[in-house]
Amino acid sequence: MKKILPPILVLLLCHIQSSAAVSQVNASYQSGQVFITWNNISNTNAYYKVYRSNTAINYGSQLSGCEYLGLTNSKSAIDNNLTQHDNIDRYLHITSSAPALTSGTGLFVATTLVNGSYYYAVTTLIDGTEDTTIIQGSNSTVSAIDEWVMKPQPVLQETRTISGKPVEIYTLFVSSKFDVTRSPWLKAGFLPFDFAVYRNNAVANAPLKIFLHP
């Protein structure tokens, strides 16, 4: 005998199948920046768009009135500089005391431009089509993040011993948004840059020599 599903259940199942929302979004503030993480969807070709608002983001219809911060891809948690150097995937630390992020985790770093309390939402972009589904607590933050404008600080990734000398490796996260009234100057909403520091046994202020490379 053929079973007939109730209309409400059919609609719910269709919604689940069509939605490509990320899960477990989380945001935390430190040194003038908000670090947003989530679980990526299974489609590795997806991009992720991030929005900020001073009111809770509960519906996709609200996104047009939110501040758009830029997009990132499915490999946003990878430390590209160390990965290229070591020829193996290395993942970013977003605090010096926390473990590195893992494969399948999404990352976006937003610089605070105006003091306030803000909510964040992450949508998916696949083949040029944005899924604006909002599931509060899954791809939008439930609680506001209290933020203050400060100079962003680099995050220690690790200390390596090179030729018997300790070398500290830091990442500076640079936002593409410099003005709340303007669009990001790059499609990529943020870029992480690594740099290394050798203190040469210095215990006080000392001259700094800088080596640059492309």
Side-chain angles (χ1 to χ4, degrees):
M1 181 176 179
K2 187 176 181 181
K3 293 183 179 180
I4 300 176
L5 295 175
I8 294 177
L9 182 55
V10 172
L11 288 175
L12 179 60
L13 290 174
C14 290
H15 174 74
I16 292 173
Q17 291 173 355
S18 63
S19 173
V22 305
S23 60
Q24 297 189 21
V25 67
N26 183 67
S28 60
Y29 169 86
Q30 61 184 33
S31 302
Q33 293 183 310
V34 172
F35 293 76
I36 306 149
T37 59
W38 60 86
N39 290 340
N40 288 333
I41 65 173
S42 59
N43 188 336
T44 57
N45 293 318
Y47 288 86
Y48 302 90
K49 302 179 74 173
V50 180
Y51 298 84
R52 174 164 57 195
S53 174
N54 54 16
T55 58
I57 306 172
N58 300 322
Y59 307 100
S61 57
Q62 295 176 256
L63 294 176
S64 60
C66 297
E67 181 187 5
Y68 173 59
L69 300 176
L71 57 75
T72 189
N73 61 21
S74 62
K75 297 183 178 181
S76 53
I78 289 182
D79 186 324
N80 291 295
N81 294 147
L82 287 183
T83 293
Q84 292 177 13
H85 182 273
D86 297 342
N87 291 317
I88 187 173
D89 284 348
R90 300 292 186 191
Y91 291 86
L92 292 160
H93 295 255
I94 57 176
T95 71
S96 58
S97 58
L101 300 176
T102 58
S103 175
T105 299
L107 172 67
F108 193 96
V109 182
T111 298
T112 302
L113 301 176
V114 178
N115 295 345
S117 298
Y118 299 96
Y119 297 83
Y120 291 84
V122 180
T123 64
T124 54
L125 184 70
I126 301 174
D127 295 330
T129 300
E130 181 181 8
D131 184 339
T132 58
T133 302
I134 295 294
I135 305 173
Q136 196 175 36
S138 182
N139 70 333
S140 72
T141 56
V142 175
S143 302
I145 305 297
D146 296 327
E147 305 177 32
W148 297 268
V149 177
M150 296 176 59
K151 180 183 292 185
Q153 297 297 313
V155 178
L156 177 65
Q157 300 298 309
E158 61 179 271
T159 299
R160 295 188 176 189
T161 301
I162 301 175
S163 300
K165 300 175 181 179
V167 176
E168 300 165 6
I169 300 173
Y170 292 85
T171 298
L172 183 64
F173 297 90
V174 179
S175 173
S176 295
K177 282 276 292 188
F178 294 102
D179 188 326
V180 294
T181 64
R182 298 183 180 182
S183 301
W185 67 279
L186 284 176
K187 287 185 177 180
F190 80 100
L191 295 172
F193 295 97
D194 284 358
F195 63 92
V197 176
Y198 170 54
R199 297 182 183 272
N200 196 25
N201 301 314
V203 294
N205 292 339
L208 175 67
K209 183 183 291 186
I210 299 177
F211 297 90
L212 302 177
H213 67 87

